[in-house]
Amino acid sequence: DSGVTQTPKHLITATGQRVTLRCSPRSGDLSVYWYQQSLDQGLQFLIQYYNGEERAKGNILERFSAQQFPDLHSELNLSSLELGDSALYFCASSVAVRQETQYFGPGTRLLVL
Amino acid sequence: EDQVTQSPEALRLQEGESSSLNCSYTVSGLRGLFWYRQDPGKGPEFLFTLYSAGEEKEKERLKATLTKKESFLHITAPKPEDSATYLCATNTDKLIFGTGTRLQV
């Protein structure tokens, strides 16, 4: 158990809908990262937040957004969902702002029908 | 463009048959090379961080080494519970992951 929690574990929705994925980092970690993992593309970095502020952006679509709250938990919002958004979404956390060792949560499996 | 390549894509070993997994990288400003283990449908589990060429780290049957252009994950006398996908990642301004090596013991 990494200490990173994610909810929900599974999510099934329809195209065009909007969903919110939630992540709580390990105790004491200030950075939260979001990743998407699909069968054909591997683990892709989406976005990083540090202590409430956006710090780095990867291959995140404009339909996706994230935020980190004062209690350090983070939410990833996915809107106007498409079939191709079906994937595993992982949250990771680390102590500091520089992307050193990250600890991953169990993931949320999203299926868009 | 920063790139991480892992080989082989898949590897099947007999129990006790040692082998090595390769991670080659072309990145500028490397700030760490990471190895993770991932079981199907689960989050990656952190194994090692290596920072400089010549560095080695060990954990049970696993040993990771780093050169200026690649890293190796050596698996000595593997057991069935070592079966997983092993991912490497480099840290520049973001983590770049390889596509992994699926190991079956």
Side-chain angles (χ1 to χ4, degrees):
Chain A
D1 185 358
S2 66
V4 179
T5 61
Q6 289 187 248
T7 57
K9 288 185 179 179
H10 303 279
L11 202 48
I12 301 175
T13 188
T15 55
Q17 295 299 304
R18 172 189 169 97
V19 297
T20 298
L21 313 183
R22 182 188 168 106
C23 166
S24 292
R26 295 186 320 158
S27 177
D29 284 358
L30 298 180
S31 272
V32 170
Y33 313 80
W34 286 98
Y35 291 85
Q36 180 190 58
Q37 187 175 41
S38 55
L39 281 174
D40 58 345
Q41 288 208 337
L43 260 174
Q44 299 288 317
F45 168 68
L46 296 178
I47 196 164
Q48 176 198 1
Y49 277 81
Y50 174 76
N51 205 20
E53 294 190 4
E54 182 184 307
R55 292 306 298 255
K57 245 179 177 178
N59 303 320
I60 188 166
L61 300 171
E62 286 192 7
R63 301 183 284 109
F64 296 0
S65 65
Q67 55 183 326
Q68 187 180 28
F69 296 88
D71 67 353
L72 301 177
H73 90 272
S74 178
E75 293 180 356
L76 178 67
N77 300 296
L78 315 176
S79 61
S80 302
L81 285 167
E82 303 175 358
L83 296 178
D85 297 328
S86 296
L88 272 167
Y89 290 85
F90 290 106
C91 164
S93 73
S94 68
V95 172
V97 63
R98 294 181 65 160
Q99 298 196 18
E100 68 302 320
T101 302
Q102 299 178 26
Y103 295 89
F104 283 76
T108 294
R109 183 178 294 276
L110 174 66
L111 180 59
V112 182
L113 300 175
Chain B
E1 182 182 342
D2 296 341
Q3 210 162 15
V4 177
T5 304
Q6 290 188 247
S7 62
E9 284 188 17
L11 181 63
R12 177 180 284 190
L13 299 174
Q14 296 296 318
E15 187 170 356
E17 179 188 1
S18 302
S19 188
S20 295
L21 313 182
N22 177 263
C23 171
S24 62
Y25 60 91
T26 52
V27 298
S28 54
L30 183 71
R31 296 206 303 257
L33 186 293
F34 302 83
W35 282 98
Y36 286 84
R37 168 196 169 122
Q38 186 174 26
D39 293 304
K42 298 194 175 180
E45 174 190 344
F46 171 72
L47 294 174
F48 305 108
T49 307
L50 303 167
Y51 288 105
S52 55
E55 190 175 357
E56 298 183 354
K57 288 194 176 171
E58 286 189 64
K59 179 181 178 180
E60 295 180 356
R61 294 176 293 282
L62 302 177
K63 182 168 81 172
T65 61
L66 182 65
T67 71
K68 287 188 177 179
K69 293 184 178 180
E70 56 193 348
S71 177
F72 293 93
L73 184 65
H74 307 278
I75 302 176
T76 302
K79 298 182 177 182
E81 54 262 42
D82 295 321
S83 298
T85 295
Y86 290 85
L87 300 167
C88 75
T90 57
N91 182 13
T92 55
D93 61 343
K94 61 178 186 245
L95 275 191
I96 302 173
F97 279 86
T99 51
T101 293
R102 290 190 315 278
L103 173 66
Q104 183 178 357
V105 181

